[in-house]
Amino acid sequence: MRKKIWVMMSLTLCACFALLAGCGEEETTSLHTPVESLPVVVADSSSSGASSKDNIGLPDNIGHSHDCNAEGTLCGTIINGVFQDNEKTFRVTLPDGWTIQEKELTDQSMILGSPSDSSILEIRRQKNDPNLFSYTQAEFEESYKTGITDFQIITFEQTTIQNHRAVHMVYTCTNSGVMYQFHQYIIAGDYDYNLTFMRRTDEPDFSQNFLESISSFQEISPIKDPQSNQGKLIGTLYTAADNSYTINLPEGWRVDSSADYLLARSADKASNMNVLINEADNNLINYTQSYFQEYYSGMFSSAKVTSFEKITMNGYPALHLVCSYQANGKNLIANQYLICAPKNTYSLTYTSSSNALAATFQTSAQSLKISS
């Protein structure tokens, strides 16, 4: 969570302070070791987690020119006051007289400045964050304030920009004794577009001009993020990227975007769940407890299927089993639901160190809704 949010604003703070006042140290982020997930019948659900090195803190190429021929580089031009990226994926109208700050470009963003250089706009195109609309103000504040003096969020809201959901924040902080104000919009399209306006509070306030500029934002010819296989988590409701299903996650859980399937973790990283979808197996409902016992014993010598039942979930025949096992020196318990829908088999696996959350896992599994 902290890494994801820090990515949203670290470049803005450091790059803008570098222009107006000077930049602080780069933040580092440590990884949490994933809890092992019980494999499903037809696929392996284990995950090694994501790299912590991507887009954290101040990029070491700040202050250097773009290579606009490099894949993934964000470049663009201003024509008649409208900024459009070279790939023609989005456009936004700028306040009068604003220009690209040629010496302050990075491969991940464009930085534009007001005529007096007292205000800055950073435009950043980044990988979709499936958890964007489930983050709370407290979570943003906890991550943003690290290493920042007098940080305070004034406004935090979810809104809509040109039919795209967005998060809007206004916050202030000080650097080298100077107070700065930020207006930040994170707009969810095929990518996440992060537009952040920054000004010194002792300079003229052009905030209204910026808000008018934001309202003009358009994703005109989006290119689907090739790395994005995840849907969106809004509150606790997760919707698959292809709208094939929805499911309510336990309160406070977050999606791990490193996986190419739904993998979600509890806030303390002590529990996780995954959803895998495979071709329909018409024989699945006829499998027995001994079959699963033999199958999982082949993967974990300590595996023991302690509970097995045939149930119905949302009108579909299903199996529910509980399996205890050891992995990497940990005692783990998995609650697994195998749902036989007409076109696919859905495997929902909830893994934790105890069975204390069994009722919570059952409530989540029963919320699964499959599109016909």
Side-chain angles (χ1 to χ4, degrees):
M1 160 63 199
R2 182 170 174 173
K3 171 191 171 184
K4 282 288 187 182
I5 287 184
W6 180 253
V7 167
M8 294 175 187
M9 61 83 72
S10 61
L11 178 60
T12 297
L13 286 178
C14 289
C16 293
F17 287 157
L19 281 173
L20 301 180
C23 185
E25 295 296 322
E26 176 177 338
E27 175 173 297
T28 58
T29 302
S30 59
L31 288 177
H32 295 277
T33 302
V35 175
E36 294 79 359
S37 298
L38 185 68
V40 298
V41 175
V42 289
D44 187 356
S45 64
S46 61
S47 173
S48 59
S51 168
S52 64
K53 296 187 290 184
D54 295 338
N55 297 328
I56 297 176
L58 179 66
D60 55 16
N61 64 342
I62 190 166
H64 298 275
S65 296
H66 273 21
D67 177 4
C68 286
N69 295 318
E71 184 178 356
T73 299
L74 178 60
C75 290
T77 55
I78 299 173
I79 300 177
N80 296 325
V82 177
F83 174 85
Q84 182 171 289
D85 69 309
N86 287 354
E87 295 175 293
K88 298 182 179 179
T89 60
F90 72 94
R91 68 164 66 102
V92 62
T93 301
L94 301 176
D96 291 341
W98 281 54
T99 59
I100 296 172
Q101 301 294 306
E102 296 290 351
K103 294 182 179 180
E104 303 300 338
L105 302 176
T106 72
D107 288 346
Q108 295 84 22
S109 71
M110 299 290 290
I111 298 176
L112 304 101
S114 65
S116 64
D117 290 331
S118 62
S119 302
I120 290 170
L121 171 63
E122 184 209 17
I123 302 176
R124 184 178 178 88
R125 186 179 63 194
Q126 57 198 43
K127 181 179 178 181
N128 285 131
D129 181 354
N131 301 300
L132 176 59
F133 300 108
S134 64
Y135 294 147
T136 64
Q137 177 175 335
E139 288 176 303
F140 274 100
E141 195 156 43
E142 181 63 27
S143 294
Y144 275 35
K145 71 181 182 181
T146 302
I148 306 299
T149 305
D150 299 329
F151 178 84
Q152 183 179 8
I153 293 180
I154 309 301
T155 301
F156 178 85
E157 61 182 351
Q158 292 189 19
T159 186
T160 302
I161 303 293
Q162 297 285 357
N163 297 320
H164 291 288
R165 292 179 62 93
V167 171
H168 171 222
M169 287 180 289
V170 179
Y171 48 90
T172 58
C173 62
T174 59
N175 186 66
S176 300
V178 178
M179 176 71 74
Y180 294 87
Q181 182 188 67
F182 294 79
H183 281 267
Q184 183 175 26
Y185 283 83
I186 308 169
I187 305 170
D190 273 6
Y191 284 85
D192 286 347
Y193 300 90
N194 189 335
L195 283 74
T196 306
F197 169 82
M198 174 186 176
R199 72 175 187 92
R200 292 173 57 126
T201 56
D202 58 355
E203 295 285 351
D205 186 357
F206 296 104
S207 299
Q208 187 58 42
N209 302 73
F210 171 69
L211 297 178
E212 293 173 1
S213 177
I214 285 292
S215 67
S216 73
F217 176 88
Q218 289 182 303
E219 189 176 46
I220 53 177
S221 181
I223 300 173
K224 185 65 177 177
D225 181 356
Q227 302 179 42
S228 179
N229 297 303
Q230 293 294 348
K232 291 291 184 186
L233 180 64
I234 301 176
T236 62
L237 181 65
Y238 176 85
T239 302
D242 60 359
N243 295 313
S244 60
Y245 72 91
T246 63
I247 188 170
N248 282 308
L249 304 185
E251 189 73 34
W253 284 41
R254 296 289 184 258
V255 175
D256 184 339
S257 59
S258 67
D260 59 2
Y261 51 88
L262 173 57
L263 173 63
R265 305 182 190 280
S266 59
D268 60 5
K269 305 298 190 294
S271 304
N272 68 29
M273 67 87 69
N274 61 66
V275 175
L276 292 179
I277 305 173
N278 296 278
E279 292 183 0
D281 183 351
N282 295 327
N283 294 319
L284 181 62
I285 200 65
N286 298 318
Y287 294 161
T288 63
Q289 180 171 346
S290 60
Y291 169 84
F292 287 101
Q293 178 64 60
E294 180 179 356
Y295 181 87
Y296 288 124
S297 294
M299 294 187 172
F300 303 98
S301 60
S302 59
K304 184 176 181 180
V305 178
T306 58
S307 176
F308 178 85
E309 59 181 339
K310 296 181 179 181
I311 61 175
T312 299
M313 293 185 65
N314 294 322
Y316 301 118
L319 299 176
H320 173 222
L321 62 95
V322 179
C323 181
S324 62
Y325 64 107
Q326 290 184 337
N328 296 333
K330 299 176 184 177
N331 294 319
L332 300 171
I333 296 178
N335 275 266
Q336 188 169 65
Y337 295 85
L338 302 172
I339 303 166
C340 303
K343 297 179 181 179
N344 299 99
T345 296
Y346 289 76
S347 172
L348 285 60
T349 307
Y350 299 81
T351 306
S352 190
S353 58
S354 74
N355 213 28
L357 295 176
T360 299
F361 297 158
Q362 181 181 28
T363 299
S364 173
Q366 288 177 336
S367 73
L368 178 73
K369 289 184 172 57
I370 300 169
S371 299
S372 57

